Amino acid sequence: MLKGRHLIESNDFSLEEQEEIFTLADRIMTNEVNYLDACRGKLLSTLFYEPSTRTRFSFEAAMLRLGGQVVGFSEPNSSSVSKGESIADTIRTVGCYADIAVIRHPKEGAPKLASKNANIPVINAGDGGHQHPTQTLTDLLTIRSLKKSINHQVIGLCGDLKFGRTAHSLVKALNKYENIRFIFISPTELTIPDYILEDLAPGSYALTDNLDEVIDQLDILYMTRIQKERFFNEEEYLRLKGYYILTKDKLTSAKEDMIVMHPLPRVDEICSDVDDDPRAVYFKQAKFGMYVRMALILKLLGGA
């Protein structure tokens, strides 16, 4: 059903199609050895116009663990982009060599433009402050695996909700599930955009700038960093960057089965003393990301 498709926004796949990916990811996690040659002879192209560690490494690790190979660039100055080549021409050229492409770009809409000019599946690995759909698949698989259901959850999203593409994608995706309540926790300057709120049912969300007042209500706490690279004014960034810092002491008010998620990298918004708390799942979350990308690659290539 997903063979040859693009993944550009978190709502590109139906709940049933997402469940296909999660079910395959479960099978891979249970018996990875069965998939060692699933993509043998296939080539993944990684086109990263913006820095990345986890997303790029997880895609590369996913393809290599499936028996495929990887080519690409990790910064545009090492490619013909530095000579002025357009995204449309880059993806047309890449399609002559590779079977599937992953693109991260600082400009919103760039991966969508690439997909309109591609003859191979294109995956958006993050476009500016817009969306990050494979992080969303990672987040949903994490919730599904650790909370046993994605439905009926109270999720607090905390930090940079204005520019945070991971938060934007996750809210759009979770809005399709049953009985989800959102609590958006941010300073006024970094509040969730209106275009995200417009899609939510009245009464399904609340806005606050105080994490301590709502942490006891949460089933999931999704922390995000204040993103220096999205600010035009460094003074404004410095003023806001330490606005929320999650410590072990603050977790004493939280539910025993709450989970703390973070798309990473973190800066100072989660203290290292939280890492040993069983509710801290952000490194497990990173590993789920590799498995869900293995499943996604297989599905888009028609290998499962």
Side-chain angles (χ1 to χ4, degrees), residues 85-214:
E85 184 174 58
S86 68
I87 290 172
D89 282 0
T90 296
I91 198 66
R92 287 190 186 107
T93 303
V94 167
C96 296
Y97 315 130
D99 301 287
I100 187 168
V102 179
I103 179 170
R104 168 170 285 191
H105 202 284
K107 291 184 179 178
E108 297 178 9
K112 188 169 187 176
L113 175 63
S115 71
K116 290 181 179 298
N117 291 276
N119 63 351
I120 57 174
V122 173
I123 301 169
N124 178 6
D127 59 332
H130 184 224
Q131 296 230 358
H132 195 345
T134 63
Q135 181 63 50
T136 299
L137 291 177
T138 297
D139 298 339
L140 294 176
L141 180 62
T142 302
I143 295 168
R144 179 181 178 273
S145 300
L146 301 180
K147 299 294 289 183
K148 307 309 177 188
S149 174
I150 301 175
N151 298 315
H152 312 294
Q153 305 290 343
V154 178
I155 177 166
L157 294 102
C158 180
D160 179 1
L161 307 186
K162 179 179 181 179
F163 300 113
R165 60 193 174 198
T166 58
H168 299 171
S169 289
L170 183 57
V171 171
K172 281 183 168 290
L174 283 174
N175 195 36
K176 296 188 289 188
Y177 288 87
E178 295 177 14
N179 192 28
I180 300 294
R181 183 164 181 260
F182 300 99
I183 301 181
F184 299 113
I185 308 154
S186 69
T188 305
E189 297 90 338
L190 296 176
T191 193
I192 194 87
D194 288 341
Y195 82 89
I196 301 287
L197 297 179
E198 286 167 1
D199 290 338
L200 305 182
S204 68
Y205 68 89
L207 287 81
T208 182
D209 64 356
N210 194 321
L211 173 60
D212 295 341
E213 286 185 357
V214 297

Side-chain angles (χ1 to χ4, degrees), residues 65-82:
R65 285 176 178 268
L66 291 169
Q69 293 180 292
V70 179
V71 294
F73 56 80
S74 58
E75 65 96 23
N77 289 333
S78 64
S79 75
S80 290
V81 175
S82 63

